[in-house]
């Protein structure tokens, strides 16, 4: 799965909306060109750009700025917003844009979509932005009578290979993606589906990865600091992993889990040596820990994976990993953000039972 950081442009500035409401626009970053270059430095290979002014007007407005972003960033760029003519499609693709997203045109002008696909093939994507399952149009300011899956199936019959699905109600809200609707869409069409809207943290990215989607777009979470782009790219497999997936590592993983499906993991603070917590890992959480550089565990009570800090923001950046002499217990040295314990204590080990604690 590819991870696409997002830049939404309004009046030449990087902004984010909440639930597609233009009145909620707030600037979230400085120079769009510098922002795009920072995304590339963090490991991104693709960039999702929306011309909000163009979406509202029905014709490109920020195209010159978008061309500069594509030229200076070194990223593959996909663009949406107000693209409703072949002239606009051609101009974007002739100026270094890798993929063009058609939105309202998919609802209003299916013949245009067919012609664009026939001319440009996989450089054409369709954006389906839905509210309560019904596709929106005109920069989310209008509605249609099209159910999102029905629209996707019509687009697939026109030859569309890429679909970007946004749940408007979750966009910009950091409330998690609509996994149910995304899964239904991914099962309903053979197109490559990209999720947009609601991603807040690594757990959300992992959930999308588990659905087998083509891509995931992340916007507000990156600007708000709740999602680490390097870790997300690594988790998706688009960047260089911290630990090589070679035969040696596979053999060690087999040895680590030879006795049990779960192994205890002792978490120790790198700077102080203080033991912060003990949790359990299974194969998948161990793999994700090595891939992302942040701790993942398996909850025995909830029977599911969890990423430390996914709700609190108190992440643990992994610096070193050891196993014990029997290779059945792990020790991880981490940089802890905030308290490690859910009680608010820095360490989970704060109950004093026996001994001289003043020594």
């Amino acid at each position: 799965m590819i991870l696409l950081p997002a830049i939404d442009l309004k009046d030449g500035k990087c902004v984010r909306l909440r639930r597609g409401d233009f009145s909620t626009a707030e600037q979230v970053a400085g120079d769009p060109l510098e922002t795009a270059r920072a995304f590339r430095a963090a490991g991104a290979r693709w960039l999702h750009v929306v011309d909000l002014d163009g979406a509202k007007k029905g014709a490109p407005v920020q195209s010159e700025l978008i061309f500069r972003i594509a030229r200076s960033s070194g990223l593959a760029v996909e663009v949406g917003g107000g693209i409703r003519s072949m002239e606009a499609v051609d101009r974007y693709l002739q100026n270094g844009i890798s993929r063009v997203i058609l939105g309202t045109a998919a609802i209003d002008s299916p013949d245009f979509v067919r012609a664009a696909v026939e001319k440009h093939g996989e450089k054409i994507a369709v954006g389906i932005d839905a509210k309560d399952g019904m596709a929106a149009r005109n920069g989310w300011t209008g509605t249609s009578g099209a159910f999102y899956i029905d629209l996707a199936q019509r687009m697939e019959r026109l030859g569309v290979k890429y679909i970007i699905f946004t749940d408007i109600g979750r966009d910009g809200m950091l409330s998690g993606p609509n996994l149910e609707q995304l899964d239904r869409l991914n099962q309903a069409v053979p197109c490559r589906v990209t999720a947009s809207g609601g991603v807040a943290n690594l757990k959300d990215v992992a959930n999308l990865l588990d659905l087998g989607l083509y891509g995931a777009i992340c916007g507000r979470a990156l600007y708000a600091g709740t999602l680490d782009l390097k870790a997300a790219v690594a988790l998706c497999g688009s960047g260089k992993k911290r630990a090589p997936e070679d035969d040696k590592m596979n053999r060690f993983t087999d040895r680590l889990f030879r006795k049990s499906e779960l192994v205890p993991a002792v978490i120790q603070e790198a700077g102080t040596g203080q033991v912060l917590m003990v949790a359990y890992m299974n194969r998948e959480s161990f793999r994700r820990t090595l891939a992302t550089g942040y701790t993942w565990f398996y909850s025995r009570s909830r029977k599911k994976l969890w990423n430390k800090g996914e709700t609190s923001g108190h992440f643990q950046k992994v610096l070193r990993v050891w196993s014990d002499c029997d290779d059945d217990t792990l020790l991880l040295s981490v940089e802890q953000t905030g308290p490690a314990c859910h009680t608010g204590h820095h360490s989970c080990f704060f109950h004093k039972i026996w001994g001289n604690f003043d020594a």
Side-chain angles (χ1 to χ4, degrees):
M1 186 173 80
I2 64 171
L3 201 292
L4 300 92
I7 292 179
D8 289 359
L9 295 171
K10 186 176 185 296
D11 301 324
K13 300 175 182 177
C14 297
V15 305
R16 299 303 297 172
L17 308 182
R18 295 182 186 275
R19 296 189 173 122
D21 184 350
F22 278 74
S23 68
T24 67
E26 60 176 314
Q27 186 172 350
V28 291
D31 182 4
L33 279 71
E34 290 296 330
T35 301
R37 287 193 284 266
F39 287 153
R40 186 187 181 197
R45 294 294 174 264
W46 276 85
L47 178 67
H48 176 81
V49 179
V50 178
D51 178 356
L52 291 174
D53 298 307
K56 198 168 185 179
K57 181 180 178 181
V61 174
Q62 303 289 340
S63 54
E64 290 299 330
L65 175 56
I66 293 171
F67 297 154
R68 295 204 305 274
I69 291 173
R71 287 194 297 267
S72 69
S73 68
L75 295 167
V77 177
E78 64 175 24
V79 176
I83 305 173
R84 301 176 194 175
S85 69
M86 192 67 76
E87 179 184 2
V89 171
D90 292 343
R91 186 162 180 259
Y92 271 123
L93 295 177
Q94 290 166 3
N95 283 275
I97 302 305
S98 299
R99 191 155 57 219
V100 169
I101 305 165
L102 306 180
T104 297
I107 299 170
D108 295 347
S109 308
D111 289 341
F112 164 54
V113 175
R114 185 195 304 274
V117 171
E118 289 176 351
K119 184 174 183 179
H120 295 293
E122 295 192 2
K123 293 183 178 181
I124 302 299
V126 163
I128 299 178
D129 308 323
K131 185 174 183 180
D132 299 324
M134 306 306 291
R137 55 195 298 279
N138 293 332
W140 300 358
T141 61
T143 58
S144 75
F147 185 56
Y148 78 105
I149 288 180
D150 294 338
L151 179 58
Q153 290 173 333
R154 291 203 297 271
M155 293 301 103
E156 188 271 328
R157 289 193 291 270
L158 294 177
V160 172
K161 302 297 184 185
Y162 293 89
I163 289 178
I164 298 162
F165 176 75
T166 303
D167 180 347
I168 297 173
R170 296 176 184 244
D171 191 69
M173 301 305 294
L174 301 179
S175 56
N178 192 324
L179 299 176
E180 181 180 355
Q181 287 189 350
L182 284 162
D183 190 38
R184 289 182 63 189
L185 177 61
N186 200 39
Q187 298 297 324
V189 293
C191 307
R192 300 179 182 96
V193 175
T194 295
S196 176
V199 171
N201 49 45
L202 275 177
K203 179 65 174 178
D204 290 335
V205 176
N207 286 337
L208 295 174
L209 187 63
D210 289 342
L211 292 183
L213 302 182
Y214 165 76
I217 295 169
C218 302
R220 184 174 292 275
L222 298 176
Y223 298 108
T226 63
L227 178 67
D228 182 284
L229 182 56
K230 285 185 179 180
V233 169
L235 179 61
C236 292
S238 302
K240 183 178 180 181
K241 295 188 176 182
R242 294 169 61 92
E245 294 291 339
D246 56 11
D247 290 341
K248 181 178 179 181
M249 182 57 67
N250 289 335
R251 287 196 299 272
F252 170 74
T253 302
D254 289 341
R255 189 165 67 250
L256 182 65
F257 293 97
R258 72 191 184 282
K259 298 178 183 177
S260 173
E261 294 181 354
L262 298 176
V263 298
V266 180
I267 310 302
Q268 182 182 47
E269 189 167 39
T272 65
Q274 183 180 17
V275 174
L276 299 176
M277 58 180 284
V278 175
Y280 286 84
M281 290 186 177
N282 64 3
R283 282 178 177 267
E284 180 60 18
S285 63
F286 180 60
R287 184 193 71 79
R288 291 187 183 186
T289 295
L290 297 182
T292 66
Y294 289 84
T295 53
W296 286 77
F297 304 106
Y298 182 81
S299 170
R300 294 175 295 170
S301 59
R302 292 177 291 162
K303 308 296 183 185
K304 61 188 293 187
L305 298 178
W306 61 285
N307 169 223
K308 176 63 178 175
E310 65 188 28
T311 56
S312 66
H314 300 154
F315 295 101
Q316 294 171 340
K317 183 177 182 180
V318 179
L319 302 182
R320 290 172 289 276
V321 181
W322 294 268
S323 66
D324 72 338
C325 56
D326 294 322
D327 284 334
D328 58 10
T329 301
L330 293 169
L331 173 64
L332 289 81
S333 176
V334 305
E335 289 181 355
Q336 175 70 46
T337 300
C341 185
H342 72 282
T343 64
H345 287 82
H346 189 64
S347 168
C348 291
F349 294 91
F350 57 87
H351 289 149
K352 299 176 181 179
I353 297 176
W354 182 87
N356 182 4
F357 295 99
D358 295 325

